[in-house]
Amino acid sequence: MSTRTPACRAGFALPAVAFLLLLTGCTGPAARDASGGRDPSAAAQRQGAAPSAAAAPAAPRPAALGPEAVPYWVNPDGKAALAVAGHLAAGRTAEAALLRRISTRPQAEWIGPDRSEDAIRALTGAATRAGREALLVLYAIPDRDCGQHSAGGATNAAAYRDWVEGVARGIGTRRATVVLEPDAVMHVVDGCTDSGGRLRGERFELLRDAVRRLKLQPATTVYLDAGNAGWGAPADLRLPLQEAGIAEADGFAVNVSNFRTTEESTAYGRQLSALVGGKPFVIDTSRNGNGPDTQGDPAESWCNPPGRALGAPPTRSTGDPLVAAHLWIKRPGESDGPCRGGPKAGEWFDAYAQELAQNAR
């Protein structure tokens, strides 16, 4: 069962309306899709009949929080920013105000095998010019996601190594935090990807090699994905994470694209940290404001579950020395897959984005 979203495609051209909104503080993070609906009128057409929402105050821009607490880049050409522009163009100011709770926050860029070295260089370069750090998710391991909504990845081990090499060169000496391969370890542990054990050795070798290659970059921090508090016992992950290169990584990531509370995720991460040499960890807080869905079908609890909320905004000031950061790794408002009225994985789901923002505390 996947809890993830697909890899994205970079886009950096800023549409005219979005540029004007940027000047007035109304735009936010990065696009995943190269086609991305750059015309705000097209973005408005994609919204459909989104439910009306009560007016909400705009969230403070991350820059106001200080680069030490929130050092990550907010890409001004994101789907949430385009949705804000579309709502404003249509006169839907309440909806636009709600979505600013998403568009003004730094979120991860999901990098798949279709993202070139030049695209990574452009992305990290833009972050550097803004005085910020790029936050990246590498999501291209062969046979990712067990053939579910985000199936795909590199065609083979050699292609994956070549791709990681290009990503590393694209990052160069610029600052970047990398979350490495959501699901890759967990799907081996639970038998989803490799029920016969045939691919285990190759996958862990690829992850180790990716960690080593990325750590050759002088300003790159690497966190291996380590599942979530609802996906098995920490003890089951000790050896797999060691095989995947946790000793050479900076730490691990928990709750990626999931809904477990920050408290649950912290407890889970602390238990796991004690088993892997005291490594620090980051928590995905993008959609965990109300915790997981416990009322619906458990088999569908990962896919656009109703009643969820944005979680704590991204920060490195977590109050816990083992918790390196709260991050928005999953991009709020982008669909988990074609369920509960949503579009395919990774596409903008405006009604769901409005609900996440409306429910945020």
Side-chain angles (χ1 to χ4, degrees):
M1 178 175 65
S2 171
T3 58
R4 316 300 185 192
T5 56
C8 58
R9 301 175 188 79
F12 302 100
L14 190 65
V17 173
F19 179 75
L20 292 175
L21 291 169
L22 174 62
L23 295 179
T24 57
C26 298
T27 58
R32 263 196 190 151
D33 192 338
S35 59
R38 303 192 181 285
D39 180 352
S41 64
Q45 291 172 7
R46 286 198 305 276
Q47 313 306 328
S52 180
R61 292 186 64 78
L65 302 176
E68 292 187 3
V70 190
Y72 303 104
W73 182 49
V74 177
N75 186 327
D77 194 23
K79 292 180 182 178
L82 293 176
V84 168
H87 283 300
L88 287 175
R92 295 189 292 265
T93 56
E95 287 86 344
L98 273 176
L99 292 187
R100 288 195 191 101
R101 293 180 173 179
I102 299 174
S103 70
T104 57
R105 304 296 187 185
Q107 301 162 48
E109 298 281 341
W110 286 63
I111 310 299
D114 55 347
R115 297 286 283 268
S116 68
E117 177 181 334
D118 287 344
I120 307 304
R121 186 173 293 107
L123 188 157
T124 55
T128 298
R129 287 191 296 276
R132 295 291 170 138
E133 180 172 336
L135 177 60
L136 311 176
V137 179
L138 300 198
Y139 192 47
I141 201 83
D143 300 302
R144 73 184 186 200
D145 197 25
C146 301
Q148 298 298 315
H149 295 301
S150 302
T155 55
N156 54 47
Y160 184 73
R161 287 190 172 94
D162 288 345
W163 176 78
V164 170
E165 177 67 29
V167 170
R169 288 197 304 260
I171 293 173
T173 60
R174 293 172 287 278
R175 290 188 300 150
T177 290
V178 174
V179 176
L180 186 60
E181 295 297 346
D183 292 344
V185 172
M186 299 304 299
H187 278 330
V188 173
V189 173
D190 64 19
C192 181
T193 293
D194 190 22
S195 58
R198 182 174 51 86
L199 299 177
R200 178 186 178 108
E202 177 185 274
R203 172 161 290 190
F204 289 152
E205 182 179 357
L206 289 177
L207 290 171
R208 285 195 307 274
D209 289 349
V211 171
R212 290 167 181 162
R213 179 62 189 89
L214 291 164
K215 288 303 297 175
L216 291 177
Q217 305 313 117
T220 297
T221 303
V222 180
Y223 296 102
L224 269 170
D225 180 68
N228 61 71
W231 199 349
D236 296 334
L237 283 181
R238 181 175 65 87
L239 288 177
L241 282 174
Q242 288 174 349
E243 290 185 70
I246 188 64
E248 296 179 71
D250 294 279
F252 57 92
V254 301
N255 203 48
V256 173
S257 294
N258 211 278
F259 303 86
R260 297 286 168 171
T261 66
T262 301
E263 292 72 23
E264 286 180 282
S265 299
T266 300
Y268 171 81
R270 291 182 70 85
Q271 292 177 57
L272 186 53
S273 175
L275 298 172
V276 293
K279 289 284 185 176
F281 57 96
V282 297
I283 302 171
D284 186 349
T285 61
S286 58
R287 303 184 300 174
N288 73 348
N290 283 342
D293 177 17
T294 59
Q295 305 301 315
D297 181 356
E300 291 292 323
S301 63
W302 61 273
C303 192
N304 303 324
R308 302 311 94 205
L310 300 175
T315 183
R316 281 183 176 166
S317 299
T318 68
D320 188 319
L322 277 178
V323 183
H326 297 153
L327 302 176
W328 283 12
I329 300 172
K330 163 68 181 180
R331 300 172 64 76
E334 293 184 10
S335 178
D336 293 316
C339 56
R340 296 189 171 97
K344 69 179 183 180
E347 291 191 357
W348 182 253
F349 188 2
D350 197 79
Y352 197 67
Q354 295 282 335
E355 181 181 17
L356 289 171
Q358 180 70 60
N359 293 339
R361 296 184 180 90

